Amino acid sequence: MKLVVELKEKSLIDKFLDVDGFIINLEGLSCYYDELCPMEELEEVIKKIHQNNQKVYLNARKIFHENELDNLDQLLDRLLELEIDYYFYGDVTFYEMACKKHFTDKLIYQVNTYMTNHLDIMVMLKENHSVVVSTEVSFDELKDITNKVKEPLYIHSFGYYPIFHSRRELITNYQKYRQIEVDTSSNYDIVEELRESHYPIEQNENGMAVYLDGAYCLAEEIKELGLDNYYVITSKFIETNDFEKIVDIYNKEEFDKLPTIDIIYTKGLLYEKSKLLKKEGGASCE
Amino acid sequence: MNKVELLAPAGSLEKAKIALTYGADAVYVGGKQFSLRARASNFDLKDLEELASFAHNLNKKVYVTMNIIPHDADLDGLDEYLKALDAIKIDAIITSSRYIMERAKEVAASLELHLSTQMSTTTSLGIDYYHKRGVSRVVLAREVTLCEIEQIMKKTNVEIEVFVHGGMCSSYSGHCVLSNHMTNRDANRGGCAHSCRWNYTLYKNGEKQPMFYNIGSKDLMALKFIPKLLDLGVASLKIEGRMKSSYYLAVVIRSYRMLIDAYYEKGYVTEEDLKKSEIEIGKAENRLTSNGFFEGLPKVEGGLYDDRSEHPTKEYIGWVMAYDESTNVALIEQRNYFKVGDEVEFFGPTLPNTKMIIDEIIDYETKEKREVANHPLQLLLIKVPFKLTKDDMVRKVNI
Ligand code: SF4
């Protein structure tokens, strides 16, 4: 199985020799990340991964704002001197930059909420190396998408993912409103007053994000989706020990061992098809 | 200088006509398919055709929202729908799907493509990207500050549309699926349950905190930024709220219209102009408002916490259906309770706020006198000593 695994720690490079590649997080570029790789260590990390014949993926999923474009431009010039194989990105600002710098063939489009049908995915495939399928589809829809798109796709198969992302500093603002000490570095989670699930939240330089109430987990389902695809595993909110075991289970396809690791799993919306409602609602947009 | 467009939402044909009558230059509405705001999406093709013809007669425009983030099954019938919109001369579609854009270019070439705010476009490069793919107008993310809008406007010739009023997602639009996971209702397909406005308990390092945690946003009100936005050359100022009442639309649109017109006429607006518009808007709905991102990242004041007053006011009491100049009698359709002796205020697209005391109410059907008007949509005759026009409205003054 082709696994693309978030690089939680440098020491894991030599432990995960069977995975196809590692996702590296970098300040100024990444969003929804676990650990950042210091810029000064990047070259060495890339070299090490390539020595093992594995690929380097960079998390470039930040939403950019106008006053960040010069920095992005300069950062990309530095990165292009290194041998990064692919970039996960979600803001088309990044695509335009890549266009100017001629590396769109290395781009993998990923907005978890957008790529929800095979026709939009096919449009994006024409312009990108590949696409990550949305996590907001049911398993039947996911199967349908992978069947209809005849190219390998990237599929998020394990890990917490964001279900809300605000540019606002929603932890700081709350603490100021309540006149309590401002502290954004502790671990926070929220529980809706009528529900029981705990949703981790986090504030950083990209704003505030709410994550799913457990580690999303495709397991036996992968067999039905086909082994041509790339399966993405992320490490956020997972202890290193557990993460090592998880990657091992995916490598060996021993999914029945997952329950032996004490973490909260969820199937997200895989079997709870979200509905288009006719009666009420509507996000606060057009 | 090109004049800015004031763009208003409408959830029904009646509301769309009110919006255009009260000063909107264009309206955006949802069709039966492909549109967020599921409940507000009640325009069938016949309604859309009537609206397009009504608007075009006034030299105004109609945009149709096709802004869901579609799943495979939602895309059935897409080509036929696009062709139908093209045939009835809809001016543009507002969309977020690259596939819908591609199909529209192919089968409905005269439909303009406007990029929905659902795509959270925040930079000039993002605008370039979509422009190269056929988009003629980009609705900016509401996360873009005024300073950033200024930088963007220097780098693009593409039409830019900016939200100036109404509800705000506290998330980047299109990036929130709280509702999907908490209620199984897809926020990106019209089912948002406004989960960002619910109360949450916060746990810090596993320990329950004593006070509720909230992540919701106050509504946006950008009256004071209108002059700057006009100076920057923004193409369109957008009001949010396809689910809002006719009264709300009339009041909000008229307030922005007056301010925009005053700025074009005088070259400036005074504190008094701004205050007047703000007071007017306050008469339509008591929702808490903020400056959104216009002045930078919203601080504490931008959030919704325990203190909410979100109820529409009961001030709106009637809609003028006709006025007989020979008898000075107005035919009014009742919208909220009022009685003889109440002080009321009439207003309209061209009628300034004008007060009077109700001294007589006559039932239009029975011609009997009434002390109170307490039946919704009841037709009533009221003597009004100044000239009214159809579609003027009346509200209570002291409640
Ligand atoms: S829950 Fe709030 S932020 Fe999320 S889509 Fe709905 S209105 Fe927008």
Side-chain angles (χ1 to χ4, degrees):
Chain A
M1 180 172 1
K2 291 182 282 193
L3 295 182
V4 177
V5 174
E6 183 170 11
L7 187 61
K8 190 172 178 69
E9 282 177 20
K10 250 194 324 184
S11 63
L12 294 176
I13 298 175
D14 287 330
K15 289 191 178 171
F16 294 163
L17 292 171
D18 291 331
V19 305
D20 187 74
F22 289 96
I23 305 169
I24 299 174
N25 304 306
L26 207 59
E27 197 176 343
L29 208 57
S30 302
C31 207
Y32 324 121
Y33 51 79
D34 187 358
E35 294 296 329
L36 291 170
C37 174
M39 189 66 190
E40 58 279 10
E41 290 178 16
L42 185 60
E43 189 168 357
E44 182 210 330
V45 167
I46 292 173
K47 212 160 140 196
K48 224 166 161 200
I49 294 172
H50 281 160
Q51 272 166 3
N52 295 341
N53 278 327
Q54 291 164 309
K55 305 248 171 34
V56 173
Y57 294 79
L58 210 62
N59 168 353
R61 295 175 62 200
K62 184 175 162 56
I63 296 177
F64 298 96
H65 288 268
E66 196 65 25
N67 56 7
E68 295 168 329
L69 298 186
D70 289 344
N71 283 349
L72 174 61
D73 198 355
Q74 287 159 20
L75 179 58
L76 285 180
D77 284 342
R78 288 171 71 190
L79 293 176
L80 286 174
E81 288 168 10
L82 306 173
E83 287 176 38
I84 291 156
D85 297 289
Y86 300 109
Y87 295 79
F88 289 104
Y89 79 101
D91 181 343
V92 293
T93 302
F94 191 81
Y95 183 95
E96 281 298 294
M97 279 278 187
C99 226
K100 278 207 298 194
K101 296 178 189 292
H102 312 291
F103 67 97
T104 54
D105 57 330
K106 294 183 172 188
L107 300 189
I108 302 171
Y109 184 66
Q110 179 175 19
V111 182
N112 280 352
T113 50
Y114 290 170
M115 291 290 99
T116 48
N117 69 77
H118 87 281
L119 294 162
D120 272 304
I121 288 174
M122 281 167 58
V123 174
M124 294 309 281
L125 278 174
K126 283 188 212 151
E127 300 176 355
N128 292 278
H129 169 71
S130 192
V131 167
V132 183
V133 183
S134 169
T135 41
E136 304 308 311
V137 295
S138 69
F139 184 49
D140 285 341
E141 288 173 323
L142 186 54
K143 272 191 295 187
D144 198 37
I145 288 170
T146 52
N147 281 334
K148 286 176 174 159
V149 177
K150 304 282 180 231
E151 294 175 41
L153 292 168
Y154 285 74
I155 297 170
H156 180 78
S157 57
F158 179 88
Y160 283 79
Y161 63 78
I163 55 173
F164 169 100
H165 177 196
S166 178
R167 192 184 183 191
R168 297 162 193 253
E169 295 174 330
L170 290 172
I171 295 182
T172 304
N173 287 354
Y174 163 81
Q175 288 167 337
K176 285 188 177 161
Y177 175 76
R178 295 290 184 203
Q179 297 182 328
I180 51 181
E181 184 201 351
V182 173
D183 164 18
T184 56
S185 56
S186 293
N187 295 326
Y188 291 102
D189 49 70
I190 56 173
V191 179
E192 199 275 322
E193 60 182 330
L194 303 175
R195 292 167 171 75
E196 287 168 1
S197 304
H198 285 243
Y199 296 85
I201 64 172
E202 184 187 61
Q203 182 182 304
N204 59 24
E205 71 287 356
N206 294 317
M208 183 273 212
V210 179
Y211 286 81
L212 200 58
D213 55 341
Y216 176 79
C217 178
L218 279 177
E220 294 298 337
E221 290 91 352
I222 289 177
K223 292 178 184 156
E224 282 190 63
L225 296 172
L227 296 180
D228 282 349
N229 300 307
Y230 293 81
Y231 294 93
V232 177
I233 297 185
T234 56
S235 56
K236 196 167 183 63
F237 306 126
I238 308 289
E239 298 293 333
T240 306
N241 267 350
D242 291 338
F243 191 60
E244 282 184 50
K245 290 181 204 154
I246 296 277
V247 174
D248 194 48
I249 287 173
Y250 273 80
N251 261 324
K252 296 179 177 150
E253 296 178 44
E254 294 174 336
F255 300 118
D256 54 331
K257 289 191 178 158
L258 281 170
T260 62
I261 305 169
D262 185 22
I263 53 178
I264 299 166
Y265 297 100
T266 171
K267 290 285 178 188
L269 297 174
L270 278 181
Y271 301 105
E272 290 182 49
K273 199 168 169 182
S274 72
K275 295 179 205 91
L276 182 148
L277 290 185
K278 291 290 178 202
K279 290 223 172 76
E280 54 186 312
S284 298
C285 58
E286 295 114 349
Chain B
M1 173 161 63
N2 280 344
K3 284 209 164 170
V4 78
E5 169 189 273
L6 181 60
L7 175 58
S12 69
L13 189 55
E14 176 195 295
K15 290 178 192 175
K17 288 180 177 176
I18 286 285
L20 294 167
T21 308
Y22 272 77
D25 300 300
V27 285
Y28 62 99
V29 302
K32 292 277 184 207
Q33 289 167 281
F34 309 107
S35 174
L36 286 171
R37 296 288 189 182
R39 192 172 63 186
S41 305
N42 48 8
F43 282 77
D44 58 21
L45 286 170
K46 207 172 122 277
D47 289 339
L48 287 174
E49 187 169 15
E50 183 179 337
L51 177 59
S53 143
F54 179 87
H56 294 161
N57 280 336
L58 298 170
N59 218 5
K60 299 188 175 197
K61 292 185 174 172
V62 178
Y63 309 141
V64 171
T65 54
M66 295 180 72
N67 53 355
I68 59 165
I69 293 177
H71 289 226
D72 271 287
D74 302 325
L75 289 163
D76 290 347
L78 175 64
D79 282 7
E80 293 70 24
Y81 189 65
L82 288 165
K83 284 180 195 166
L85 295 182
D86 203 13
I88 60 175
K89 301 205 171 3
I90 293 301
D91 297 281
I93 57 167
I94 304 171
T95 190
S96 46
S97 154
R98 283 290 311 281
Y99 179 68
I100 293 179
M101 291 176 208
E102 295 299 309
R103 292 314 302 157
K105 285 190 281 183
E106 186 80 24
V107 303
S110 54
L111 276 181
E112 272 185 40
L113 300 178
H114 293 182
L115 185 73
S116 166
T117 198
Q118 282 289 92
M119 297 315 275
S120 281
T121 308
T122 48
T123 67
S124 52
L125 288 182
I127 294 163
D128 286 350
Y129 172 91
Y130 285 108
H131 186 53
K132 287 176 194 163
R133 286 152 185 83
V135 164
S136 61
R137 178 187 292 188
V138 170
V139 187
L140 282 188
R142 275 166 287 192
E143 283 72 14
V144 179
T145 66
L146 195 57
C147 201
E148 289 164 348
I149 296 175
E150 185 163 9
Q151 293 171 38
I152 289 171
M153 294 304 295
K154 285 182 189 151
K155 296 189 202 161
T156 185
N157 293 320
V158 181
E159 286 187 4
I160 298 300
E161 185 172 304
V162 174
F163 273 96
V164 290
H165 197 91
M168 287 183 91
C169 276
S170 63
S171 160
Y172 282 105
S173 290
H175 290 253
C176 172
V177 283
L178 286 180
S179 178
N180 307 41
H181 290 272
M182 292 183 180
T183 66
N184 209 14
R185 292 160 48 157
D186 190 343
N188 290 326
R189 290 190 291 166
C192 167
H194 290 130
S195 313
C196 65
R197 290 170 170 248
W198 296 350
N199 284 327
Y200 293 89
T201 301
L202 182 69
Y203 287 76
K204 179 175 175 177
N205 296 328
E207 239 180 71
K208 187 175 174 178
Q209 303 299 296
M211 288 168 290
F212 274 134
Y213 178 65
N214 305 95
I215 56 174
S217 164
K218 284 182 187 162
D219 281 11
L220 173 65
M221 179 156 72
L223 286 167
K224 69 174 173 182
F225 306 105
I226 297 298
K228 180 74 178 168
L229 290 168
L230 299 195
D231 288 347
L232 291 177
V234 162
S236 179
L237 303 177
K238 184 173 213 158
I239 294 167
E240 183 274 348
R242 274 200 278 144
M243 324 256 288
K244 301 287 189 187
S245 68
S246 301
Y247 172 62
Y248 173 91
L249 290 176
V251 172
V252 173
I253 293 165
R254 180 171 171 264
S255 303
Y256 278 89
R257 177 81 274 154
M258 287 189 314
L259 201 68
I260 293 167
D261 290 349
Y263 187 69
Y264 280 132
E265 202 181 301
K266 301 186 287 193
Y268 63 91
V269 292
T270 61
E271 279 300 316
E272 203 186 318
D273 293 328
L274 288 170
K275 197 75 213 156
K276 213 167 116 188
S277 295
E278 203 176 312
I279 289 170
E280 272 300 297
I281 288 174
K283 292 175 185 172
E285 197 171 52
N286 291 324
R287 280 169 71 113
L288 299 172
T289 58
S290 73
N291 297 329
F293 282 77
F294 280 109
E295 288 179 318
L297 278 193
K299 302 291 177 211
V300 178
E301 323 73 68
L304 266 185
Y305 304 97
D306 326 274
D307 174 29
R308 300 163 186 224
S309 49
E310 304 181 356
H311 306 293
T313 74
K314 292 276 181 265
E315 284 185 343
Y316 174 40
I317 55 175
W319 185 11
V320 176
M321 310 304 290
Y323 181 76
D324 184 342
E325 278 188 69
S326 61
T327 58
N328 288 352
V329 170
L331 176 65
I332 311 271
E333 191 177 86
Q334 195 264 22
R335 289 303 159 101
N336 269 305
Y337 175 92
F338 65 97
K339 61 181 190 315
V340 170
D342 279 346
E343 185 177 19
V344 299
E345 180 175 70
F346 284 87
F347 68 97
T350 54
L351 176 71
N353 297 352
T354 313
K355 291 178 186 161
M356 61 163 259
I357 306 276
I358 302 239
D359 58 6
E360 192 177 66
I361 303 172
I362 293 173
D363 187 314
Y364 175 73
E365 299 291 336
T366 63
K367 301 290 180 285
E368 284 170 13
K369 281 195 184 179
R370 302 250 173 248
E371 278 305 302
V372 295
N374 53 2
H375 298 297
L377 303 184
Q378 185 179 18
L379 289 174
L380 304 160
L381 296 169
I382 292 172
K383 209 153 182 104
V384 180
F386 42 87
K387 186 172 178 291
L388 297 177
T389 313
K390 181 180 171 338
D391 294 331
D392 287 344
M393 293 182 181
V394 56
R395 60 189 165 207
K396 271 194 253 185
V397 174
N398 300 311
I399 54 168

